[in-house]
């Protein structure tokens, strides 16, 4: 079970009965949207009072930089510079881990071919080959060779699957596509992510031909964990399990059987999973498999050796020499991401025009220049 910190909400909030009591009882496995080492330590302190002392896993949407803001992923994709894309992810991992965070909900590897879909900014565009190369580059940047380096973090390929095929570009809408389109266009970047040893994956909010992504057993159990031999774990998107069936209990049953290992902030697993197991509607072996996958990642991160191992580098966040180098790379990535159009047929600009006015409220809006999902970026920078 994963909960969001109440101080930073990136989706609809839910009522906690008593979050600290749940953590102390060992009923919470992960937190996200916790933005300071001090607060992460305080949550981990509570987890260390639980019976089994299983450390919490902390995640955050670090999509195009943590403290240093890089171009949005779509812009980085326009560079076609896979080495530089890997470098920006490596810098983001170093900064994210300095905040005490173990896990980013990136890269988004959804193929998007409808410009009306607002989340195109998070991905790499419309081409499966390019999307696959960038998925590998960003995962390698975030995770490195292994987690023995405390500056590496776990990556999460999202949203599994065909989320970018939303009907009419409406976010959360269903994907109505053929099997050929699914396998040739939308799945290749996810397979590339598995081949790059991505630690986790996230389900989409969408349905695929009438089946909710969280309940899609063929995709999760048969293809991802079966044919592709994915060793990591699957997390739902924000609250997405709760609303996909006639009621929360039925949704929980479908999600667990299909292969969704962690419930992000819907409380569905908390309310229903024990009863479903007691009633024999969910085989305990499926829960064991989910637990094993999540605990394995906590072991690989070294959290059982030291639950606080990501909480010792806070001073790096204000180290001027480190910040200067990271901003230099951000400027270089920005230059590589620029797209130029020839003034031939596309642009209606006469050759004698020497100046162009930039007009509108966003022209001087520093906060908008950070782009969506700007993590700890600051507009004054």
């Amino acid at each position: 079970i994963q909960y969001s910190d109440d101080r930073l909400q990136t989706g609809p909030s839910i009522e906690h009965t008593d979050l600290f009591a749940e953590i102390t009882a060992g009923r919470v496995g992960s937190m996200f949207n916790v933005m300071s080492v001090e607060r992460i330590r305080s949550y981990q302190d509570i987890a260390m009072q639980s019976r089994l002392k299983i450390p919490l896993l902390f995640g955050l949407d670090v999509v195009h930089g943590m403290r240093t803001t890089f171009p949005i992923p779509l812009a980085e994709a326009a560079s076609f510079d896979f080495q530089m894309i890997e470098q920006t992810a490596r810098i983001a991992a170093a900064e994210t881990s300095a905040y005490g965070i173990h896990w980013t909900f990136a890269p988004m590897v959804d193929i998007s071919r409808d410009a009306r879909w607002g989340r195109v900014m998070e991905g790499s565009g419309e081409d499966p080959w390019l999307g696959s190369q960038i998925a590998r580059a960003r995962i390698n940047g975030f995770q490195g060779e292994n987690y023995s380096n405390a500056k590496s973090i776990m990556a999460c390929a999202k949203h599994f699957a065909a989320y970018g095929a939303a009907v009419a570009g409406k976010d959360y809408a269903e994907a109505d596509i053929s099997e050929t389109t699914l396998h040739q266009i939308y799945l290749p970047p996810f397979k590339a992510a598995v081949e790059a040893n991505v630690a986790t994956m996230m389900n989409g909010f969408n349905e695929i031909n009438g089946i909710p992504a969280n309940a899609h057993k063929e995709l999760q159990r048969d293809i991802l964990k079966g044919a592709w031999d994915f060793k990591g774990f699957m997390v739902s998107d924000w609250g997405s399990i709760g609303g996909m069936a006639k009621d929360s209990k039925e949704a929980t049953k479908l999600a667990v059987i299909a292969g969704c290992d962690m419930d992000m902030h819907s409380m569905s697993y908390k309310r229903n999973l024990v009863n479903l197991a007691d009633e024999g509607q969910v085989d305990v072996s499926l829960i064991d498999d989910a637990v094993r996958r999540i605990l394995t990642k906590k072991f690989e991160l070294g959290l059982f050796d030291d639950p606080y191992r990501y909480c010792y580098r806070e001073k790096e966040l204000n180290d001027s020499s480190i910040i200067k180098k990271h901003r230099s790379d951000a400027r270089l990535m920005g230059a590589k991401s620029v797209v130029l159009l020839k003034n031939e047929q596309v642009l209606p600009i006469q050759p004698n025009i020497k100046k162009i006015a930039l007009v509108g409220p966003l022209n001087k809006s520093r906060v908008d220049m950070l782009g969506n999902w700007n993590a700890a970026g600051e507009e004054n920078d």
Side-chain angles (χ1 to χ4, degrees):
I1 293 172
Q2 181 185 61
Y3 288 137
S4 174
D5 183 68
D6 290 331
R7 296 188 182 185
L8 177 64
Q9 298 289 347
T10 50
S13 183
I14 59 174
E15 293 295 328
H16 295 296
T17 49
D18 188 338
L19 178 59
F20 291 161
E22 287 188 57
I23 295 174
T24 304
R27 296 176 184 147
V28 181
S30 178
M31 293 287 297
F32 67 117
N33 289 341
V34 186
M35 291 285 286
S36 75
V37 170
E38 179 184 8
R39 196 154 173 81
I40 284 174
R41 277 186 170 275
S42 68
Y43 277 124
Q44 204 69 288
D45 285 343
I46 299 169
M48 290 302 101
Q49 298 172 30
S50 63
R51 180 175 64 89
L52 296 178
K53 296 179 171 55
I54 297 175
L56 294 171
L57 188 62
F58 292 92
L60 185 70
D61 286 282
V62 181
V63 174
H64 56 109
M66 181 64 175
R67 179 67 175 81
T68 302
T69 303
F70 296 100
I72 61 172
L74 187 64
E76 287 198 349
S79 73
F80 285 80
D81 190 331
F82 307 135
Q83 184 174 354
M84 194 66 204
I85 291 171
E86 181 175 332
Q87 173 66 3
T88 62
R90 182 168 291 115
I91 291 171
E95 293 185 349
T96 301
S97 56
Y99 278 82
I101 296 166
H102 315 121
W103 182 21
T104 176
F105 305 127
M108 190 192 92
V109 302
D110 296 310
I111 298 300
S112 50
R113 294 182 165 182
D114 189 335
R116 294 174 296 181
W117 191 51
R119 300 189 75 162
V120 294
M121 59 77 55
E122 286 185 75
S124 300
E126 61 186 358
D127 184 74
W129 180 86
L130 180 63
S132 297
Q133 305 310 308
I134 292 175
R136 290 189 181 96
R138 300 196 74 206
I139 290 164
N140 290 339
F142 285 134
Q143 297 187 167
E145 294 183 2
N146 55 58
Y147 305 117
S148 61
N149 180 352
K151 292 187 178 183
S152 63
I153 58 176
M154 296 198 311
C156 181
K158 63 185 187 183
H159 305 83
F160 196 68
Y163 190 44
V167 173
K170 295 179 179 179
D171 202 18
Y172 300 9
E174 68 173 321
D176 187 5
I177 56 178
S178 69
E179 286 291 307
T180 301
T181 300
L182 175 65
H183 286 271
Q184 291 190 356
I185 305 300
Y186 293 97
L187 289 185
F190 289 99
K191 190 169 191 299
V194 173
E195 291 169 351
N197 199 33
V198 70
T200 66
M201 284 205 187
M202 180 186 292
N203 274 315
F205 283 100
N206 59 307
E207 294 180 358
I208 304 99
N209 298 332
I211 303 175
N214 286 303
H216 211 301
K217 181 176 179 291
E218 180 184 358
L219 280 176
Q220 293 180 83
R221 292 256 182 230
D222 301 343
I223 294 176
L224 180 63
K225 296 178 177 179
W228 294 356
D229 196 28
F230 173 59
K231 299 298 187 185
F233 69 84
M234 175 69 76
V235 60
S236 74
D237 209 334
W238 182 296
S240 61
I241 292 177
M244 70 176 194
K246 65 179 181 180
D247 55 40
S248 175
K249 186 174 181 179
E250 180 68 13
T252 299
K253 175 183 174 180
L254 293 173
V256 173
I257 291 174
C260 186
D261 304 304
M262 183 180 286
D263 176 9
M264 179 191 281
H265 207 70
S266 84
M267 299 187 80
S268 298
Y269 283 14
K270 171 194 159 138
R271 292 169 177 155
N272 305 298
L273 196 48
V274 171
N275 290 336
L276 285 167
D278 288 344
E279 294 166 5
Q281 295 192 56
V282 169
D283 195 312
V284 175
S285 66
L286 299 179
I287 302 174
D288 289 343
D289 179 63
V291 170
R292 186 180 298 110
R293 289 171 178 271
I294 296 166
L295 291 181
T296 296
K297 293 306 169 187
K298 293 183 180 184
F299 271 110
E300 290 175 355
L301 285 166
L303 296 180
F304 282 94
D305 296 321
D306 180 4
Y308 306 96
R309 72 179 296 255
Y310 277 51
C311 295
Y312 304 120
R313 296 175 23 249
E314 199 170 8
K315 64 180 181 181
E316 294 178 19
L317 300 175
N318 297 306
D319 188 315
S320 59
S321 63
I322 295 175
I323 292 172
K324 183 177 180 181
K325 174 63 172 65
H326 291 180
R327 289 184 182 175
S328 175
D329 284 341
R331 181 177 290 272
L332 177 60
M333 187 74 251
K336 288 176 175 288
S337 298
V338 170
V339 176
L340 301 178
L341 299 178
K342 288 185 178 181
N343 186 25
E344 293 177 347
Q345 296 177 332
V346 177
L347 303 179
I349 302 173
Q350 297 300 317
N352 62 319
I353 299 297
K354 302 300 181 186
K355 293 182 179 180
I356 298 175
L358 297 177
V359 180
L362 299 185
N363 189 31
K364 294 182 179 180
S365 175
R366 289 177 178 238
V367 67
D368 288 292
M369 292 304 122
L370 291 172
N372 290 337
W373 300 115
N374 51 57
E378 295 184 7
E379 59 184 283
N380 290 331
D381 293 335

